[in-house]
Each structure stands twice: as C-alpha cells, then as structure tokens.
C-alpha cells in the first residue's frame, strides 16, 4: 500500500511558477514509477508527466512540454512537478500517482494506475 500526499498548489498569476510535491509513505518509493495528472472543472483527467524509478526516463504531455519538469528524490520519498510560465488554462486539481508500471502506461492507460493522491489545487489568474 502506498499513500500519496500532494502539496504546493495555490494561486499564482499567469507567467508565474509553482513547484508541486508528492510525499509518499512506505520504504519502496524507488520501486514505483511516479506520475502527475490534472483535472480541470468539467474536463476529463489529463496526463501531465511521468518518471521512471531513477528518473532516467521521463515522459510529458505534448501540450506541456517545455513548461513542466518532473523529478524525484528517492532519499526523501518525494516526487516533484516544476511548472513554469503558467497559464490560466493550467488551472486544475493536480494529482500524483504511483504504480509499478512503465512510464508509457501512465500516458496511455491512466485508469490502470493503482495509487493516487487526493490532489492539490492550482489556480492561475490572468
């Protein structure tokens, strides 16, 4: 069982930056692929990014490439999502997720990902 707790969301002006954190429980963080998703009001959940166990393999949503960076600190059992040049359309609840799965599955089959956090709200004002 893995518990995920996101933090770092908030209100930011367009063009600003935020760094989201995802703290995990347990001692097996380095065995899980980590990912980030977001869901805006009235919209479907959207894949944002995923990182392999050691961070060597990452994948990003095409629409967000160049503005977001996923990273992880296995010593701290924490994953991060750095978001820059934020736009009002980035407003959403951001969830982190974990599973023993390839990075590609986070993008292609998100409904199969096993562990999810409750999410953190990101609001970007214009």
């Amino acid at each position: 069982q893995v518990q995920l707790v996101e933090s770092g969301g908030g209100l930011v002006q367009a063009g600003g930056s935020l760094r989201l954190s995802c703290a995990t429980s347990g001692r097996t963080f380095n065995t899980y692929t980590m990912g980030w998703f977001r869901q805006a009001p009235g919209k479907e959940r959207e894949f944002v990014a995923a990182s392999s166990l050691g961070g060597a393999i990452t994948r990003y949503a095409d629409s967000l490439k160049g503005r977001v960076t996923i990273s992880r600190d296995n010593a701290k059992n924490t994953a991060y999502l750095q978001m820059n040049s934020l736009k009002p359309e980035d407003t959403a609840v951001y969830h982190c997720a974990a599973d023993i799965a390839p990075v590609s599955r986070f993008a292609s089959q998100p409904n199969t990902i096993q562990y999810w956090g409750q999410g953190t709200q990101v609001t970007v004002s214009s």
Side-chain angles (χ1 to χ4, degrees):
Q1 187 75 17
V2 176
Q3 292 185 329
L4 311 174
V5 179
E6 303 93 335
S7 62
L11 176 63
V12 63
Q13 288 188 331
S17 298
L18 280 176
R19 187 197 196 199
L20 307 182
S21 299
C22 175
T24 69
S25 64
R27 301 179 180 178
T28 58
F29 177 76
N30 61 359
T31 67
Y32 287 89
T33 298
M34 299 297 297
W36 287 93
F37 295 80
R38 67 183 184 182
Q39 188 165 20
K43 294 188 177 181
E44 292 186 354
R45 183 176 56 198
E46 177 185 18
F47 169 74
V48 174
S51 168
S52 64
L53 310 184
I57 300 172
T58 57
R59 182 163 177 170
Y60 296 94
D62 288 342
S63 60
L64 292 163
K65 273 182 184 176
R67 295 198 298 120
V68 300
T69 303
I70 187 171
S71 62
R72 59 192 295 162
D73 186 336
N74 287 346
K76 295 183 178 179
N77 292 349
T78 302
Y80 304 96
L81 184 70
Q82 177 68 43
M83 302 189 294
N84 301 321
S85 302
L86 284 163
K87 306 174 182 179
E89 51 264 43
D90 293 320
T91 295
V93 176
Y94 285 71
H95 298 267
C96 68
D99 205 344
I100 300 175
V103 165
S104 59
R105 185 144 68 88
F106 279 67
S108 63
Q109 298 175 286
N111 289 338
T112 67
I113 302 305
Q114 188 170 12
Y115 299 109
W116 293 85
Q118 292 297 311
T120 185
Q121 176 71 47
V122 171
T123 303
V124 185
S125 63
S126 57

